[in-house]
Amino acid sequence: AQKVTQAQTEISVVEKEDVTLDCVYETRDTTYYLFWYKQPPSGELVFLIRRNSFDEQNEISGRYSWNFQKSTSSFNFTITASQVVDSAVYFCALSSDNYGQNFVFGPGTRLSVLP
Amino acid sequence: DAGVIQSPRHEVTEMGQEVTLRCKPISGHDYLFWYRQTMMRGLELLIYFNNNVPIDDSGMPEDRFSAKMPNASFSTLKIQPSEPRDSAVYFCASTGSRTEAFFGQGTRLTVV
């Protein structure tokens, strides 16, 4: 069975601090896909990144970066120089399909960035 | 494109009443998903369609829940009769063969 664990329920940081959100997954599939979604206070789910199991290169997009480590089944997300607008719930998700036809979501991490 | 559109955004109903949630996926997307989000269980997949055909409904909690997709641009999730434990945020999402899943803004359902 597939499972996603986000051990950090809530994190609070002060603006401009760096913060890392942890994600650990379990799957028996050799091919799988990992995702991060952001849920701001307005409630919608916003896609951030997709990574397939064959691509372990880390990725950076502006202040966001992702560290995929197959050896530890982790796909961690770092926000550099956090801003108040980063306050949201962040979900890590796992899918055996390329574009998330069948997500298993983690429980989410609520990030509060204080001014 | 306006994205995935769900209606209503909020619904308050009395126990025992029928509730219908609606979703318009992004044009051209051939997959449609219904998710439920609660504090206790997080985000759960209820059912998904491919080309208007239900593929996996194993997440539908009970026979009180039903979903239809009569055409490529419209889907409904119906609860009849509704119960207080059905209170949750219901999300619809759509995806195509080469895109990630896009989610609607959700319908917050409260059953009193």
Side-chain angles (χ1 to χ4, degrees), chain A residues 56-76:
Chain A
E56 288 194 70
Q57 276 194 331
N58 291 331
E59 181 159 339
I60 298 174
S61 176
R63 297 184 296 107
Y64 295 170
S65 61
W66 290 269
N67 184 350
F68 176 30
Q69 300 234 342
K70 223 169 167 178
S71 59
T72 57
S73 297
S74 65
F75 186 43
N76 296 338

Side-chain angles (χ1 to χ4, degrees), chain A residues 84-101:
Chain A
V84 173
V85 293
D86 296 326
S87 297
V89 181
Y90 290 86
F91 292 94
C92 181
L94 171 66
S95 175
S96 55
D97 302 298
N98 193 6
Y99 293 97
Q101 276 79 6

